[in-house]
Amino acid sequence: MKKLVKLIIVLVLVMVSGCTTQKKEENARVIDTSMFLYKVSNKEGKYSYLFGTCHPGRYPIKSLDKVTEKALDESNSIYLECDMNPSPQKIEEYAKYNTYNSIRDLGFEDKYENLMKQYKSLKGKPGYAFYNVFVISSLVISDPEVLNKANISKFNAIDNYIYDYAQKKKNFKEVEGIEFQMKLLTELSGDYSETILDSLANKEMVIKNAKEDLDAYYGGNTQYYEDEQNLLLNQLEQLNDSDKEKYEKYWDILAYNRNIHMKDTLADSIHNNKHDFIGVGCKHLYGKKGIIQLLKDDGYLVECMK
């Protein structure tokens, strides 16, 4: 059960930590992401690209590898899950979702006080109890100690590099959008806040899981994500009926239903004879219910570009 909760919390932490800013730094490097790039073709040979990105950053980016850069260059449109730089008006509009199912409304202020003692990013911020657990999760993953020990950069995320690339080409599109994601998290916060707060209280686990995730991505270890997603599904199958229903609902809303939508976005691109680049969080690609398998089940040829 503990392993299941850990895996679910990692899904949340990776999702809510995506809005960073691309920053130019010295010692920038070429990042090889070709192992996360897939050419998806139908029977007529029409194709678009599926790419597994990583929301948290690590290294200063000079460019991506030549294969991924070529795919970006030839694509008619470049998709990411959501706009990485919404207008101030949009930010103000979306802010209302941050207070739905707040920690105070749910009666978990004592658990939040425990977190304030552990994370510098929360210390002295009792007013944040008016926000929901996903705002707190985002602040936790940006805590100085978490950033340092997990080797996370506030800047230089892969998807921010791609977003900037798309802005220059003026061909950016959203797969989901920020409002969709915030509504989704709001829907989950009422039922799962206590579980998430209890897990965030284990700082060592938060750091360990975040570091393992980024080590796997920047090490090009796709098998890590394949194994992780399949392990989660296997763990779900072993739960008793009550817990299984609860956590399956969580996983379906947070991952599986979104995988289907992302798969359909790519399929529509191919059907419309476009060469598009669809970049989504790499966890969505892998496992028995990941986008790659869903595409194969629909008869598409999926080829890794590494």
Side-chain angles (χ1 to χ4, degrees), residues 148-238:
N148 180 54
K149 291 187 176 180
N151 193 13
I152 300 173
S153 169
K154 282 188 175 182
F155 311 102
N156 309 311
I158 299 291
D159 46 4
N160 282 99
Y161 175 86
I162 294 172
Y163 178 79
D164 288 348
Y165 194 108
Q167 292 301 306
K168 292 173 184 176
K169 291 191 68 177
K170 299 181 179 179
N171 67 348
F172 174 75
K173 292 185 178 180
E174 293 182 308
V175 177
E176 295 177 328
I178 297 174
E179 187 169 24
F180 169 86
Q181 291 190 347
M182 295 190 76
K183 284 182 178 178
L184 180 151
L185 293 175
T186 297
E187 180 180 349
L188 291 171
S189 60
D191 292 333
Y192 300 95
S193 289
E194 185 171 16
T195 300
I196 293 171
L197 287 170
D198 287 342
S199 297
L200 293 175
N202 187 341
K203 184 190 277 190
E204 290 184 3
M205 185 199 77
V206 171
I207 293 170
K208 179 177 181 291
N209 287 335
K211 185 176 186 305
E212 286 180 352
D213 256 33
L214 265 73
D215 286 349
Y217 190 87
Y218 286 95
N221 186 0
T222 60
Q223 191 61 47
Y224 168 89
Y225 296 104
E226 187 77 25
D227 293 343
E228 180 194 61
Q229 295 301 304
N230 286 333
L231 176 61
L232 173 55
L233 293 173
N234 292 339
Q235 291 275 344
L236 284 171
E237 289 300 317
Q238 296 172 22

Side-chain angles (χ1 to χ4, degrees), residues 83-134:
D83 189 347
M84 307 302 292
N85 188 29
S87 68
Q89 292 79 11
K90 287 293 184 182
I91 292 174
E92 184 176 354
E93 179 183 338
Y94 300 149
K96 62 185 178 185
Y97 297 108
N98 291 331
T99 59
Y100 293 170
N101 292 321
S102 74
I103 290 170
R104 176 164 293 182
D105 289 343
L106 295 174
F108 296 138
E109 287 182 272
D110 57 334
K111 294 181 182 292
Y112 177 63
E113 288 174 5
N114 179 39
L115 292 182
M116 278 197 293
K117 296 174 184 176
Q118 298 190 62
Y119 295 97
K120 289 183 178 180
S121 55
L122 299 178
K123 284 182 178 178
K125 297 178 179 176
Y128 276 39
F130 285 107
Y131 295 102
N132 65 42
V133 68
F134 295 106

Side-chain angles (χ1 to χ4, degrees), residues 44-55:
E44 289 75 42
K46 299 176 182 177
Y47 68 90
S48 279
Y49 293 106
L50 173 66
F51 180 76
T53 185
C54 185
H55 300 323

